[in-house]
Amino acid sequence: MSVRKKIWGKNAERIAEALERLDPDLARYIQDFAYEEVMARPGLDLKTRELLAITALIALGNPGELKTHLRGALANGATEREVRETIIHSALFLGFPRALGAMKVFSELLARTDERGA
Amino acid sequence: MSVRKKIWGKNAERIAEALERLDPDLARYIQDFAYEEVMARPGLDLKTRELLAITALIALGNPGELKTHLRGALANGATEREVRETIIHSALFLGFPRALGAMKVFSELLARTDERGA
Amino acid sequence: MSVRKKIWGKNAERIAEALERLDPDLARYIQDFAYEEVMARPGLDLKTRELLAITALIALGNPGELKTHLRGALANGATEREVRETIIHSALFLGFPRALGAMKVFSELLARTDERGA
Amino acid sequence: MSVRKKIWGKNAERIAEALERLDPDLARYIQDFAYEEVMARPGLDLKTRELLAITALIALGNPGELKTHLRGALANGATEREVRETIIHSALFLGFPRALGAMKVFSELLARTDERGA
Amino acid sequence: MSVRKKIWGKNAERIAEALERLDPDLARYIQDFAYEEVMARPGLDLKTRELLAITALIALGNPGELKTHLRGALANGATEREVRETIIHSALFLGFPRALGAMKVFSELLARTDERGA
Amino acid sequence: MSVRKKIWGKNAERIAEALERLDPDLARYIQDFAYEEVMARPGLDLKTRELLAITALIALGNPGELKTHLRGALANGATEREVRETIIHSALFLGFPRALGAMKVFSELLARTDERGA
């Protein structure tokens, strides 16, 4: 299974098409280089890579991509607790506003998942 | 064993004294709140916390604290390979200059450890 | 009166409950450590602390927390003029886009306060 | 023709009035200093200046001002291709999330222009 | 007395000459616009402006200019305690590594001043 | 001629070897992906790409890589004036401290080139 499939899950096709429409070259670099070359490297499991991605995206100010990797972490074996810890931990290095912003994004994502699950 | 002792290793006393001299209140917050309260939380092991710390510090532009947590990662079970992967992975989210800067810091740290080990 | 009460004003209970729902541990760190320990320190009055908070949040790209501290500055003795000066001043160090973004947030906040006051 | 007129195009009057309402002093600095003094300097043409502005705004996390300068680049001789290249190029230095966010903003802008043009 | 003279103190001539040698146009913008136009504005005293400048420079990762404004704060009525509080306060918003880096710069500055004073 | 050769000039071999020693995989990504794939794309000439790279690196706080691309800009047709304008222009978006720091790096580079040229 491709790394994209593992991280994007059932949204994989939709995300790939949206990227393609946006810019085919940037889409190719993100898919072939970022996902299937760098993220696919051995030496660090996908769950850890996703927790690191979450930290990097908190540092960048919680852009839209944060949601993708919060979902990706859960889909690759991270527990809700581990994601919360990753966010709380980031407050030490990046300050409380960044951590608080990320916790809001995560909370919305969990709420929506619960609704659909119910 | 305190979290500081686990991360700072044999430099623990020296680092604590330097922090104390710098500012006793900031030292107390870093030691009691950052290390012994937040970093000490269960739910995420210290090795993973140190890889996340490395990512956050790469995002901040590789300040002096990066070295502390590169050492802390190795001292808590991360392999050289895992640290290298953490740095390479960060290039995707934070760009190549940040990753390259971090790899230089890690490389100097490894060189110095080798010298002393020889 | 708690520092939170002084800064959050009449929204204090609502904000505390929202934080609690988000994550009880992060809520506790923000309330007990950030507000009642660090912000409560003597040596710098709350008005100045709020102007500094505004500057830090402008640097972070004007996240949602900016509004909280724009309100907090006004609630602790800062005049509209002083807040405007803080924002204009930040342009020198952080560039015009950051300052402009903050002025838009402040302007909306003032407009909403005026409406309610009328 | 003023630099503002060249960059803001047919929106020039509307933008100037909005700035003025926001804060007359900040408006003056942005118009007189940023646009008519610094941006107006010889030694670098406006098209290049706008591509540089786009890069700086991507680094800042794609705030609202990005749209102004994406439009400004097109209005001063940059092709759609050149703007896309500027965004893709930024991924190397600032990471993929920043570049992806910028491409989304540019894509929306192009879509809206197409609609109106049709 | 010019704002530069108030902030740069006895180093004013040396700093002005160094700026001039670096780039006469950038020097002019920093001196005439940043210092004598924006910093000189009423509505916020110079001491507060310098504490805000310190916060902005901590956010930027403690570049060389931090030292100038740490000195400028002390020269315009801020106590050592107030500067320490400004730095500690910044940890909440910008994380501990930024605050720690700034405290190191301030500590070196105080040590050097003590030496010369003795 | 490879893009690396065009940007790194007579230092090309030395830089490639240093990268290789640092980390062969990161070296490969920087050389094959960053330089020979993305930087090599048509649609934007190398001189413009280097001015954009300078802007991105100023935003990142002038890390070591800035020098590489200041040299790369000069080596690919940018005049000293154009580089100075790029730096001054960045002050509008990223603040004066970032621009000032970059001008110092450029100034040292020019001084060293002059010495060797004499």
Short mmCIF file of all heavy atoms in Angstrom, two decimals, chain B residues 23 25-26 28-29 33 37-38 41, chain C residues 23 25-26 28-29 33 37-38 41:
data_model
loop_
_atom_site.label_atom_id
_atom_site.label_comp_id
_atom_site.label_asym_id
_atom_site.label_seq_id
_atom_site.Cartn_x
_atom_site.Cartn_y
_atom_site.Cartn_z
N ASP B 23 19.02 32.88 35.45
CA ASP B 23 17.83 33.48 36.07
C ASP B 23 17.13 32.40 36.90
O ASP B 23 16.61 31.43 36.32
CB ASP B 23 16.88 34.01 34.99
CG ASP B 23 15.73 34.81 35.59
OD1 ASP B 23 14.75 34.19 36.03
OD2 ASP B 23 15.83 36.05 35.65
N ASP B 25 14.29 32.18 38.40
CA ASP B 25 12.87 31.93 38.14
C ASP B 25 12.66 31.20 36.82
O ASP B 25 11.90 30.24 36.74
CB ASP B 25 12.08 33.25 38.14
CG ASP B 25 11.97 33.83 39.54
OD1 ASP B 25 12.29 33.12 40.51
OD2 ASP B 25 11.59 35.00 39.67
N LEU B 26 13.32 31.67 35.77
CA LEU B 26 13.22 30.96 34.49
C LEU B 26 13.76 29.54 34.65
O LEU B 26 13.18 28.58 34.13
CB LEU B 26 14.01 31.73 33.41
CG LEU B 26 13.92 31.15 32.00
CD1 LEU B 26 12.48 31.08 31.51
CD2 LEU B 26 14.74 31.96 31.00
N ARG B 28 13.66 27.69 37.32
CA ARG B 28 12.65 26.92 38.03
C ARG B 28 11.53 26.50 37.08
O ARG B 28 11.09 25.35 37.10
CB ARG B 28 12.10 27.78 39.17
CG ARG B 28 11.18 27.06 40.14
CD ARG B 28 11.10 27.83 41.45
NE ARG B 28 10.74 29.23 41.26
CZ ARG B 28 9.48 29.70 41.14
NH1 ARG B 28 8.47 28.87 41.18
NH2 ARG B 28 9.25 30.99 40.97
N TYR B 29 11.07 27.41 36.22
CA TYR B 29 9.99 27.06 35.29
C TYR B 29 10.45 25.97 34.32
O TYR B 29 9.71 25.06 33.99
CB TYR B 29 9.53 28.30 34.51
CG TYR B 29 8.85 29.33 35.37
CD1 TYR B 29 8.97 30.69 35.08
CD2 TYR B 29 8.09 28.97 36.48
CE1 TYR B 29 8.34 31.66 35.87
CE2 TYR B 29 7.47 29.93 37.28
CZ TYR B 29 7.60 31.27 36.97
OH TYR B 29 7.00 32.21 37.74
N PHE B 33 8.46 22.93 35.66
CA PHE B 33 7.29 22.85 34.78
C PHE B 33 7.62 22.10 33.48
O PHE B 33 7.00 21.09 33.17
CB PHE B 33 6.73 24.25 34.48
CG PHE B 33 5.56 24.22 33.55
CD1 PHE B 33 4.32 23.75 33.98
CD2 PHE B 33 5.67 24.63 32.22
CE1 PHE B 33 3.22 23.69 33.12
CE2 PHE B 33 4.60 24.56 31.35
CZ PHE B 33 3.37 24.10 31.81
N GLU B 37 7.23 18.36 34.93
CA GLU B 37 5.77 18.27 34.82
C GLU B 37 5.35 17.83 33.40
O GLU B 37 4.74 16.79 33.23
CB GLU B 37 5.13 19.63 35.19
CG GLU B 37 3.63 19.73 34.92
CD GLU B 37 2.78 18.77 35.74
OE1 GLU B 37 3.12 18.57 36.92
OE2 GLU B 37 1.79 18.21 35.20
N VAL B 38 5.69 18.61 32.38
CA VAL B 38 5.18 18.31 31.03
C VAL B 38 5.93 17.15 30.36
O VAL B 38 5.31 16.20 29.87
CB VAL B 38 5.17 19.56 30.13
CG1 VAL B 38 4.62 19.23 28.75
CG2 VAL B 38 4.34 20.67 30.77
N ARG B 41 5.15 13.62 31.66
CA ARG B 41 3.82 13.05 31.53
C ARG B 41 3.87 11.66 30.88
O ARG B 41 4.65 11.44 29.96
CB ARG B 41 2.95 13.95 30.64
CG ARG B 41 2.59 15.28 31.30
CD ARG B 41 1.96 16.21 30.28
NE ARG B 41 0.72 15.67 29.77
CZ ARG B 41 -0.46 15.83 30.37
NH1 ARG B 41 -0.57 16.55 31.45
NH2 ARG B 41 -1.55 15.29 29.86
N ASP C 23 -9.30 20.33 26.47
CA ASP C 23 -8.34 19.39 27.05
C ASP C 23 -8.09 19.83 28.49
O ASP C 23 -7.50 20.90 28.71
CB ASP C 23 -7.03 19.40 26.26
CG ASP C 23 -6.09 18.29 26.71
OD1 ASP C 23 -5.39 18.51 27.72
OD2 ASP C 23 -6.09 17.21 26.09
N ASP C 25 -5.96 18.98 30.77
CA ASP C 25 -4.57 19.18 31.18
C ASP C 25 -3.99 20.46 30.58
O ASP C 25 -3.35 21.24 31.27
CB ASP C 25 -3.71 17.97 30.77
CG ASP C 25 -4.04 16.75 31.62
OD1 ASP C 25 -4.74 16.91 32.64
OD2 ASP C 25 -3.61 15.64 31.25
N LEU C 26 -4.21 20.66 29.27
CA LEU C 26 -3.74 21.90 28.66
C LEU C 26 -4.44 23.09 29.32
O LEU C 26 -3.81 24.13 29.59
CB LEU C 26 -4.03 21.89 27.14
CG LEU C 26 -3.51 23.09 26.36
CD1 LEU C 26 -2.00 23.24 26.49
CD2 LEU C 26 -3.87 22.98 24.87
N ARG C 28 -5.46 23.32 32.41
CA ARG C 28 -4.83 23.53 33.70
C ARG C 28 -3.49 24.26 33.55
O ARG C 28 -3.20 25.19 34.30
CB ARG C 28 -4.62 22.16 34.36
CG ARG C 28 -4.17 22.19 35.80
CD ARG C 28 -4.46 20.85 36.47
NE ARG C 28 -3.94 19.71 35.72
CZ ARG C 28 -2.67 19.24 35.82
NH1 ARG C 28 -1.81 19.81 36.63
NH2 ARG C 28 -2.29 18.20 35.11
N TYR C 29 -2.68 23.86 32.58
CA TYR C 29 -1.39 24.53 32.39
C TYR C 29 -1.59 26.00 32.01
O TYR C 29 -0.87 26.87 32.48
CB TYR C 29 -0.56 23.82 31.31
CG TYR C 29 -0.14 22.43 31.69
CD1 TYR C 29 -0.03 21.42 30.73
CD2 TYR C 29 0.17 22.10 33.01
CE1 TYR C 29 0.37 20.13 31.07
CE2 TYR C 29 0.57 20.81 33.37
CZ TYR C 29 0.67 19.84 32.40
OH TYR C 29 1.06 18.57 32.74
N PHE C 33 -0.49 27.74 35.29
CA PHE C 33 0.90 28.14 35.05
C PHE C 33 0.97 29.46 34.28
O PHE C 33 1.55 30.44 34.76
CB PHE C 33 1.65 27.04 34.29
CG PHE C 33 3.07 27.41 33.97
CD1 PHE C 33 4.03 27.48 34.97
CD2 PHE C 33 3.45 27.74 32.67
CE1 PHE C 33 5.35 27.87 34.68
CE2 PHE C 33 4.75 28.12 32.37
CZ PHE C 33 5.70 28.19 33.38
N GLU C 37 0.48 31.89 37.45
CA GLU C 37 1.86 31.89 37.92
C GLU C 37 2.71 32.94 37.17
O GLU C 37 3.23 33.86 37.77
CB GLU C 37 2.48 30.47 37.74
CG GLU C 37 3.97 30.38 37.99
CD GLU C 37 4.40 30.70 39.41
OE1 GLU C 37 3.65 30.32 40.34
OE2 GLU C 37 5.45 31.36 39.61
N VAL C 38 2.80 32.83 35.84
CA VAL C 38 3.73 33.72 35.12
C VAL C 38 3.14 35.12 34.90
O VAL C 38 3.78 36.13 35.21
CB VAL C 38 4.16 33.09 33.77
CG1 VAL C 38 5.13 34.02 33.04
CG2 VAL C 38 4.82 31.74 33.99
N ARG C 41 3.06 37.41 37.97
CA ARG C 41 4.31 37.83 38.62
C ARG C 41 4.34 39.36 38.80
O ARG C 41 3.92 40.09 37.92
CB ARG C 41 5.50 37.42 37.76
CG ARG C 41 5.73 35.92 37.73
CD ARG C 41 6.76 35.57 36.68
NE ARG C 41 8.05 36.16 36.98
CZ ARG C 41 8.97 35.61 37.76
NH1 ARG C 41 8.75 34.43 38.29
NH2 ARG C 41 10.10 36.23 38.01
#
